[in-house]
Amino acid sequence: MSLLLTSRTLHSATLNALYKNITIPHSRIFRKFLTHIAQNKELGTIVRRLDFSHFNPTTLFSTASERATTRNLTPETLLQCLELTPFLREFLAQEYIEDELDANVLRKLFFGLDRLQGVDFCGCTSNAFKNAFQSILLSDWPETLPISRLSLHKCMTLPASVFETLLPRLGNLTHLDLSGTRVTNEALQSIPHNAKITHLNLSKCRLLTADVIIDFLAKHPAVKSLVFLSLGEDARSHQLFHEDHLTKLIPILPHSLRSLSLKGSKMAPSHIDLLRPLTKHLEELALGRRLKIADIDRLFVPDENNDENIDQQLEWIPHSLKYLDLSDYTAAELDLITLFGRNTSILKKYSAPLEVIEVTDDLYARLAKSPVVKQLGWTVTENGNRAWLVRVHDPEDGPRDSGLRYWKMGASFWGMRKIPIACAEVGGMYGSYMFKRKL
């Protein structure tokens, strides 16, 4: 804070650093921030991001009644805050503040902030939130909204009418996370053709059909430059893509892709030949079920079965995969003997740049005790409900890849389940949804 007194130039730069991106970990910090911008309204004009992803109401108060009596963060105070931050560009919310997102707050976000680009409602499912969203559907909506990055990740209670109202108005769209929602075929196809979507998450969207998704990806102008695409499903409860669907889908996927999830799909060995060209530019790949280790191994080395494959071996282009998701395979289904065997290249040193292999979490204890894992140069780690085999870095190979990529927007780990809406370090509730939870 002493920089504020150094010079006029440093004073301005320090205020910008302090107020441009505001993170709210608990309600007392919110009240303090609101008081400052209410007393000094020029400070509110500096704010570009309001980040509630780290918000935890239990940090200060153990019960809901205690939190309610403080009246620090309420729909009214949140609306006041938005009124005082007219140049806001990113609003990052999550389930812990879902009841504060009333109709007036939502109306301000969608209709009253002309420069708003990123909105995240991750995990908001309460009746109050749903009812607030439904009530603003009756409002007089503009033809277009300025929002380019939208996350309704796991907003499972929102009705289809929300998506049918929102999506046709998002002509600036680049990032869209609808994982676990009730988005319909009609709503998906209503996305304006002038949108330029690079990140799309349609995992566990049960009202969507495979044929419509394939048609959308093949023909819609907005998805010709996809970088991140998740079409994952939980195969135990829902099946979206069967073998014939994948045979149509995989060849139409763009060369711009860096991350692809086909988790939960019903795959066949023939799909490996279709996936091979993608592995030359993909860095993340989540595979579906019913493949054998020998099938998967073909992604990493050319075929050596007969003389007809000599040309293929000579023209072979190494893969670019850093992360491989095999978590669809249970402990009983994943053939560890073959995976660790000398004839399989997946865990060998020459399978680099592969660094991370995700496995089902019930394999963690078994793999953690296995001396073979260490002998092959790997280790086992877990986080929440997820587990990974991670290659042990050899200093002789040079500096380790940080994992940072422009398309991951601040995330360094591999295999994120949720699309980031702002370029920032990942933590709090967003970190949990990205890297701790199953699909």
Side-chain angles (χ1 to χ4, degrees):
M1 295 297 289
S2 59
L3 289 174
L4 291 170
L5 306 177
T6 305
S7 72
R8 186 171 299 175
T9 301
L10 283 178
H11 180 274
S12 177
T14 303
L15 284 179
N16 187 68
L18 289 173
Y19 285 92
K20 183 177 181 180
N21 298 323
I22 300 296
T23 299
I24 307 292
H26 53 76
S27 62
R28 191 173 294 167
I29 292 293
F30 176 77
R31 172 57 75 178
K32 184 177 181 180
F33 166 68
L34 180 59
T35 300
H36 281 186
I37 62 173
Q39 294 174 348
N40 303 278
K41 291 186 170 52
E42 67 276 7
L43 296 178
T45 64
I46 301 173
V47 179
R48 298 296 182 267
R49 177 189 300 160
L50 278 178
D51 184 355
F52 290 91
S53 65
H54 293 263
F55 188 87
N56 188 343
T58 61
T59 301
L60 296 177
F61 309 105
S62 58
T63 66
S65 60
E66 287 180 1
R67 296 194 294 271
T69 56
T70 63
R71 305 293 293 172
N72 286 334
L73 179 59
T74 66
E76 293 75 25
T77 57
L78 182 54
L79 178 62
Q80 182 187 3
C81 178
L82 294 177
E83 296 284 0
L84 293 169
T85 53
F87 303 124
L88 192 68
R89 293 181 182 173
E90 296 167 338
F91 180 81
L92 309 178
Q94 42 102 344
E95 59 197 70
Y96 279 145
I97 68 163
E98 59 186 359
D99 289 340
E100 279 65 57
L101 303 173
D102 71 358
N104 290 326
V105 169
L106 294 177
R107 201 172 283 112
K108 179 64 178 178
L109 287 170
F110 288 114
F111 310 146
L113 295 170
D114 294 339
R115 304 192 185 191
L116 192 65
Q117 297 174 357
V119 183
D120 200 327
F121 295 118
C122 176
C124 295
T125 58
S126 70
N127 283 331
F129 176 72
K130 179 189 71 173
N131 293 337
F133 234 121
Q134 284 183 294
S135 69
I136 69 167
L137 297 183
L138 303 175
S139 301
D140 185 16
W141 285 70
E143 289 188 12
T144 60
L145 295 171
I147 296 168
S148 59
R149 304 183 301 277
L150 174 66
S151 173
L152 294 167
H153 187 91
K154 296 301 176 72
C155 294
M156 297 177 284
T157 59
L158 292 180
S161 55
V162 168
F163 307 98
E164 291 163 359
T165 301
L166 268 177
L167 296 188
R169 293 172 166 82
L170 300 177
N172 299 312
L173 201 59
T174 60
H175 295 58
L176 181 62
D177 192 330
L178 300 177
S179 175
T181 65
R182 298 180 183 178
V183 61
T184 61
N185 291 332
E186 293 75 15
L188 183 67
Q189 292 172 314
S190 72
I191 293 174
H193 285 197
N194 58 320
K196 292 179 173 56
I197 301 175
T198 58
H199 294 61
L200 180 62
N201 190 350
L202 300 178
S203 62
K204 300 185 76 171
C205 294
R206 297 190 178 184
L207 297 185
L208 296 178
T209 59
D211 288 335
V212 167
I213 291 176
I214 293 170
D215 183 74
F216 174 76
L217 293 172
K219 299 177 181 179
H220 202 291
V223 289
K224 296 306 179 184
S225 300
L226 283 174
V227 176
F228 178 99
L229 175 63
S230 178
L231 301 173
E233 291 288 343
D234 184 349
R236 296 170 299 178
S237 56
H238 183 65
Q239 182 73 60
L240 179 62
F241 292 106
H242 294 272
E243 292 180 26
D244 292 343
H245 293 132
L246 292 178
T247 301
K248 297 176 183 177
L249 170 68
I250 297 173
I252 66 170
L253 296 175
H255 293 290
S256 54
L257 268 184
R258 296 296 177 267
S259 179
L260 171 65
S261 175
L262 299 174
K263 182 176 169 60
S265 61
K266 188 181 291 185
M267 305 195 82
S270 60
H271 294 137
I272 296 298
D273 291 315
L274 299 177
L275 285 170
R276 270 178 162 177
L278 294 180
T279 64
K280 312 312 178 186
H281 53 80
L282 282 176
E283 293 192 277
E284 296 183 336
L285 176 61
L287 293 174
R289 303 172 296 121
R290 299 180 64 194
L291 294 174
K292 296 180 179 179
I293 293 298
D295 299 324
I296 299 169
D297 199 49
R298 294 182 60 230
L299 294 173
F300 300 94
V301 290
D303 298 326
E304 299 180 356
N305 296 334
N306 53 58
D307 293 339
E308 295 178 2
N309 293 318
I310 291 178
D311 289 341
Q312 182 195 96
Q313 294 175 40
L314 293 173
E315 297 173 0
W316 180 257
I317 300 173
H319 73 91
S320 56
L321 292 175
K322 306 286 284 189
Y323 162 88
L324 181 67
D325 187 348
L326 302 180
S327 59
D328 254 9
Y329 297 84
T330 65
E333 294 170 335
L334 191 63
D335 184 358
L336 294 179
I337 294 177
T338 303
L339 180 63
F340 295 145
R342 64 177 61 188
N343 294 325
T344 301
S345 38
I346 297 175
L347 296 179
K348 300 296 191 297
K349 190 166 185 177
Y350 55 82
S351 68
L354 184 66
E355 287 187 359
V356 180
I357 301 173
E358 182 158 358
V359 295
T360 180
D361 60 325
D362 59 4
L363 270 174
Y364 173 77
R366 182 177 171 186
L367 292 173
K369 298 176 183 177
S370 172
V372 181
V373 174
K374 186 175 182 180
Q375 290 170 11
L376 289 171
W378 295 71
T379 187
V380 191
T381 185
E382 66 173 344
N383 191 9
N385 293 322
R386 298 174 68 182
W388 303 268
L389 285 163
V390 181
R391 192 188 296 273
V392 177
H393 178 64
D394 187 343
E396 293 183 1
D397 294 334
R400 180 155 199 159
D401 188 338
S402 67
L404 294 171
R405 296 293 188 275
Y406 75 92
W407 54 270
K408 293 162 74 174
M409 299 176 68
S412 59
F413 296 131
W414 297 100
M416 60 186 181
R417 304 284 200 221
K418 175 191 175 298
I419 291 176
I421 298 302
C423 289
E425 290 186 16
V426 176
M429 190 62 75
Y430 291 178
S432 175
Y433 275 95
M434 281 187 187
F435 299 112
K436 288 187 177 182
R437 306 188 185 201
K438 294 184 179 180
L439 194 64

